[in-house]
């Protein structure tokens, strides 16, 4: 019974202490943390599409000149 009372008091007092100190909660991961990987993926996709267009253009020119 004593452990339950101590656990309940701890659960109530720890958040109250953090609130009393004026600390605010900040998330560990924000949406802006994914801007770099998103830009990297867009660059990779753009490069792949560009290569496909170049290959298709060369194939088209090769077909014309045959």
């Amino acid at each position: 019974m004593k452990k339950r009372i101590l656990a309940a008091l701890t659960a109530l007092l720890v958040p109250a202490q953090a609130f009393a100190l004026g600390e605010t909660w900040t998330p560990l991961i924000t949406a802006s943390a994914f801007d770099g990987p998103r830009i990297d993926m867009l660059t990779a996709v753009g490069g792949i599409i560009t290569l496909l267009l170049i290959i298709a253009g060369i194939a088209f020119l090769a077909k014309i000149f045959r």
Side-chain angles (χ1 to χ4, degrees):
M1 183 72 172
K2 199 179 227 185
K3 287 184 181 180
R4 288 185 186 175
I5 293 172
L6 288 175
L9 284 176
T10 304
L12 291 173
L13 293 178
V14 170
Q17 289 175 350
F19 183 71
L21 294 174
E23 295 176 11
T24 57
W25 178 80
T26 56
L28 294 176
I29 299 175
T30 60
S32 62
F34 296 100
D35 286 344
R38 183 178 64 89
I39 292 171
D40 291 343
M41 288 298 296
L42 290 175
T43 303
V45 168
I48 291 170
I49 290 173
T50 303
L51 288 174
L52 290 175
L53 288 173
I54 290 170
I55 292 170
I58 291 172
F60 183 72
L61 288 174
K63 200 175 208 181
I64 288 175
F65 288 121
R66 280 190 191 167

